[in-house]
């Protein structure tokens, strides 16, 4: 559910997809590739800002110490 | 005796103990009902009639000899077709895995076998627990027994539809962003996403490793508790499994809720995403019911629903991409369009996006932990809408994100969906209760108190036969 402004994917989605090895997708389903890039841009835009130095989840736990 | 197909697991156990019913008699009755009714519902991908009857005969002998293994002994259960049963296909409802046969049981299947449960077949789902209804799927998509034109929710769509239609008393589903609670909600059932790590995921095809949960769908909270008793516990073969031992999760079901504290997260459905008025009214009434039962209900705030959901979605997309990238590169045409479009999003995320989401996740977990320090459970919306028509593609797309389920996949807290009413159009409404991590006992206690006070769980879909929906509520 988005109530923010539509975000635009800043790069060429088909070129990025080819770089990711998705040549067959680009060939067969270019509309799906473009739609996915757009959706990813929207998801990125909705992600809240956070202190870049904050510890991500999950904290590292070394197994052999247990 | 009530029609056999509407017996709960609890009632089945009592009938076995009183020698009023046998596992073979019940299993045959359910197999007959599946053969007669599931052509319309499509909840099963495959029915293992032979295996189920073999297990029923074995259970019958053991029970007759006084060697009862426990409350699930001889009780049928159906399994979402993303969970391995040795020797049976695990297709994930996808052409990608349509020929895949499991070589070993998933951990939860081994636990169910040890409890004496009867595995009756594999249930339909959204493709890889992620796609949606599509005519491109290798098997027909499931329909909602309350209205066959409507969506049964997903991704555990067959699990919800089969239990609601009286084809099985119990089902297992999986839940990565709400996939147990969505079908439980729109099919009028109880469905539990346990605490992350309480139930093993070994032998379950992953959608997103850090969000995936396995849990039960049933017609009562007591049956959810019995199933959880069987499937909970530490598994060294699941890296996410918690170091917990099993317990009796239904031990407090009859205890009532006098003095318990309930935090009502109103802003989720009143301002963050405005719910259908019937859903909102049913939630207000649920809060009043809990107060009448003796709980103290007060409003409580969490981070904005869309914010939590966006963090969950970012992690889901990145982890699902990791699982599917190879197949998307090699055989993209074997996915249906809804699944392919969702999975491809992961190709356009960056390492910075993923780490940012994981940083936010720490904050979200802290926020929910802080909330449940002051109250015993949270009351929230489940879905924001009743079910919609399967042929209304726009409505389907709109309802998927209109939910309050995915926050608790992100944080790992246990969450229980319960029926909370019927819409004017005769479709189930649902609420969600959320508990402290690993405190399923209290969560189910509150659910059972609500169930006793409302009796919504007595309603049955009116489409086939048997039970006039409203009259059955008593």
């Amino acid at each position: 559910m988005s109530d923010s402004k539509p975000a635009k994917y800043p790069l060429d989605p088909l070129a990025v997809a080819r770089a990711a090895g998705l040549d067959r997708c680009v060939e067969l389903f270019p509309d799906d590739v473009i739609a996915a890039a757009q959706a990813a841009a929207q998801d990125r835009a909705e992600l809240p800002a956070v202190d870049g130095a904050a510890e991500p989840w999950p904290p590292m736990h070394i197994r052999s110490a247990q | 005796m009530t029609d056999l197909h509407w017996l709960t697991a609890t009632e089945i156990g009592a009938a076995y103990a009183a020698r009023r019913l046998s596992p073979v008699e019940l299993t045959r009755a359910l197999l007959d009902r599946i053969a007669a009714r599931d052509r319309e519902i499509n909840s099963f991908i495959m029915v293992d009639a032979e295996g189920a009857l073999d297990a029923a005969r074995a259970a019958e002998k053991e029970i007759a000899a006084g060697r009862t293994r426990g409350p699930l002994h001889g009780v049928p259960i159906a399994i979402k077709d993303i969970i391995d049963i040795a020797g049976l296909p695990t297709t994930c409802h996808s052409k990608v895995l349509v020929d895949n046969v499991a070589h070993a049981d998933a951990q939860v299947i081994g636990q169910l076998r040890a409890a004496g449960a009867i595995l009756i077949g594999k249930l339909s789902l959204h493709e890889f627990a992620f796609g949606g209804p599509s005519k491109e799927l290798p098997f027909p998509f499931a329909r909602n027994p309350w209205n066959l034109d409507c969506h049964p929710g997903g991704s555990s769509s067959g699990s919800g539809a089969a239990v609601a239609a009286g084809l099985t008393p119990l089902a297992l589903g999986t839940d990565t962003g709400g996939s147990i609670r969505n079908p439980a909600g729109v099919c009028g059932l109880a469905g539990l996403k346990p605490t992350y790590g309480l139930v093993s995921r070994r032998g379950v095809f992953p959608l997103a490793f850090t969000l995936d949960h396995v849990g039960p769908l049933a017609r009562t909270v007591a049956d959810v508790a019995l199933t959880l008793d069987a499937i909970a516990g530490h598994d060294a073969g699941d890296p996410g499994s918690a170091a917990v031992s099993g317990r009796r999760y239904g031990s407090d079901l009859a205890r009532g809720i006098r003095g318990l504290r309930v935090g009502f997260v109103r802003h989720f459905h009143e301002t963050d995403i405005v719910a259908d008025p019937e859903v909102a009214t049913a939630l207000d009434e649920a809060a009043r019911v809990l107060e009448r039962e003796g709980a103290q209900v007060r409003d409580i705030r969490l981070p904005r629903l869309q914010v939590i959901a966006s963090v969950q979605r970012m992690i889901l997309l990145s982890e699902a991409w990791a699982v599917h990238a190879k197949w998307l590169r090699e055989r993209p045409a074997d996915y249906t369009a809804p699944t392919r479009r969702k999975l491809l999003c992961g190709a356009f995320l960056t390492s910075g996006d993923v780490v940012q989401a994981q940083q936010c996740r720490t904050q979200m977990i802290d926020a929910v932990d802080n909330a449940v320090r002051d109250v015993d459970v949270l009351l929230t919306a489940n879905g924001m809408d009743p079910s919609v028509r399967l042929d209304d593609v726009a409505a389907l797309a709109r309802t998927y994100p209109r939910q309050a389920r995915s926050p608790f996949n992100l944080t790992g807290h246990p969450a229980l969906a319960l029926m909370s009413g019927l819409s004017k159009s005769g479709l189930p409404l649902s609420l969600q209760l959320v508990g402290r991590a690993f405190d399923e006992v209290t969560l189910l206690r509150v659910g059972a108190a609500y169930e006793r006070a409302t009796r919504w769980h007595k309603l049955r879909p009116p489409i086939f036969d048997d039970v006039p929906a409203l009259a059955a509520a008593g």
Side-chain angles (χ1 to χ4, degrees):
Chain A
M1 178 75 185
S2 168
D3 56 1
S4 55
K5 289 179 185 168
K8 186 168 174 8
Y9 188 69
L11 306 173
D12 174 3
L14 300 182
V16 172
R18 282 195 198 92
L22 292 166
D23 304 75
R24 298 199 69 186
C25 270
V26 171
E27 180 189 341
L28 297 170
F29 308 108
D31 292 347
D32 290 353
V33 172
I34 292 166
Q38 203 50 52
Q42 193 64 44
D43 288 329
R44 179 180 297 128
E46 291 173 3
L47 206 57
V50 68
D51 174 3
E55 181 83 10
W57 185 95
M60 168 65 177
H61 288 290
I62 184 163
R63 183 171 289 178
S64 60
Q66 293 176 353
Chain B
M1 183 179 289
T2 311
D3 287 327
L4 296 184
H5 52 267
W6 291 127
L7 290 176
T8 65
T10 309
E11 291 166 339
I12 290 166
Y16 289 165
R19 302 289 192 266
R20 287 183 284 112
L21 179 66
S22 83
V24 172
E25 181 186 2
L26 176 64
T27 303
R28 282 193 199 285
L30 291 179
L31 291 172
D32 288 348
R33 184 168 172 86
I34 292 166
R37 301 300 194 188
D38 203 43
R39 279 171 291 189
E40 298 159 274
I41 302 169
N42 305 323
S43 61
F44 279 84
I45 283 178
M46 70 88 61
V47 178
D48 183 19
E50 195 179 324
L53 284 169
D54 285 347
R57 288 186 201 102
E60 191 154 309
K61 274 187 193 167
E62 289 186 356
I63 293 170
R67 296 195 303 272
T68 302
R69 298 189 194 186
L72 288 193
H73 200 177
V75 176
I77 185 168
I79 308 297
K80 184 177 182 177
D81 191 26
I82 197 169
I83 301 172
D84 284 347
I85 299 179
L88 298 186
T90 301
T91 71
C92 300
H93 208 161
S94 177
K95 288 177 190 167
V96 174
L97 289 179
V98 78
D99 297 321
N100 176 53
V101 175
H103 297 296
D105 281 340
Q107 172 71 8
V108 288
I109 297 301
Q111 289 170 289
L112 287 171
R113 288 193 201 274
I118 295 170
L119 309 172
I120 56 174
K122 305 295 290 288
L123 294 163
S124 184
L125 65 151
H126 290 359
E127 186 179 24
F128 285 112
F130 200 33
S134 167
K135 290 181 178 165
E136 300 173 82
L137 288 163
F139 312 100
F141 52 78
R143 294 175 175 274
N144 192 322
W146 290 84
N147 181 334
L148 293 175
D149 292 327
C150 287
H151 189 29
S155 66
S156 307
S157 45
S159 305
V163 177
L167 307 182
T168 175
L170 303 172
L172 284 193
T174 61
D175 192 319
T176 305
S179 289
I180 289 171
R181 293 159 287 157
N182 180 0
V186 297
C187 292
L189 302 173
L192 175 71
K193 181 202 80 66
T195 307
Y196 186 86
L198 181 62
V199 176
S200 171
R201 300 162 299 136
R202 177 155 56 108
V204 181
F205 195 85
L207 172 56
F209 313 101
T210 70
L211 301 166
D212 289 343
H213 302 67
V214 179
L217 295 91
R219 292 193 285 269
T220 65
V221 172
D223 280 10
V224 164
L226 289 182
T227 313
L228 186 62
D229 286 349
I231 62 175
H234 178 64
D235 173 20
D238 173 355
S241 182
V244 291
S245 52
R247 54 189 297 195
R248 284 192 55 237
Y249 290 96
S251 58
D252 283 359
L253 295 187
R255 205 172 146 198
I257 55 172
R258 184 155 304 282
L260 289 188
R261 299 158 302 168
V262 177
F264 191 6
V265 191
R266 284 179 183 276
H267 66 90
F268 272 7
H269 71 277
E270 289 189 347
T271 54
D272 294 354
I273 298 175
V274 179
D276 177 283
E278 290 185 296
V279 171
T281 300
L283 282 164
D284 286 339
E285 178 56 23
R288 283 191 287 273
V289 167
L290 294 172
E291 277 183 328
R292 278 203 300 272
E293 293 300 302
Q296 301 160 27
V297 180
R298 66 180 173 87
D299 290 356
I300 200 162
R301 289 199 70 83
L302 290 175
R304 197 159 161 264
L305 178 52
Q306 291 94 327
V307 170
I308 317 179
S310 71
V311 177
Q312 185 271 348
R313 187 166 167 77
M314 188 64 69
I315 294 166
L316 166 58
L317 292 173
S318 58
E319 294 185 4
W321 166 253
V323 175
H324 288 275
K326 182 172 185 292
W327 287 331
L328 284 166
R329 290 179 181 123
E330 294 173 355
R331 41 195 298 200
D334 286 345
Y335 291 90
T336 65
T339 314
R340 191 170 49 240
R341 285 180 195 140
K342 290 180 185 176
L343 288 172
L344 281 171
C345 292
F348 299 97
L349 303 177
T350 67
S351 56
D353 296 333
V354 176
V355 173
Q356 184 181 343
Q358 295 289 25
Q359 290 169 315
C360 294
R361 186 180 203 173
T362 304
Q363 297 176 352
M364 305 301 165
I365 292 170
D366 287 347
V368 177
D369 271 342
N370 286 335
V372 293
R373 211 164 276 142
D374 294 336
V375 296
D376 296 289
V377 297
L378 304 175
L379 167 65
T380 82
N382 179 0
M384 300 297 174
D385 308 279
S387 182
V388 297
R389 287 183 62 89
L390 280 156
D391 59 7
D392 189 341
V393 177
L396 270 177
R398 196 169 54 246
T399 55
Y400 271 102
R402 285 175 50 78
Q403 50 84 22
R405 297 177 283 263
S406 64
F408 306 104
N409 295 85
L410 183 75
T411 68
H413 293 81
L416 175 69
L418 291 175
M419 188 171 178
S420 62
L422 264 189
S423 71
K424 284 178 191 155
S425 55
L427 293 168
L429 307 172
S430 181
L431 58 77
Q432 177 174 240
L433 296 167
V434 179
R436 298 189 185 106
F438 300 105
D439 190 8
E440 275 80 358
V441 170
T442 303
L443 180 63
L444 295 170
R445 173 184 171 189
V446 177
Y450 176 79
E451 199 177 71
R452 275 194 304 276
T454 58
R455 301 175 63 81
W456 292 116
H457 65 292
K458 295 281 189 187
L459 296 186
R460 302 285 175 255
I463 54 164
F464 297 140
D465 30 46
D466 356 353
V467 181
L470 293 169

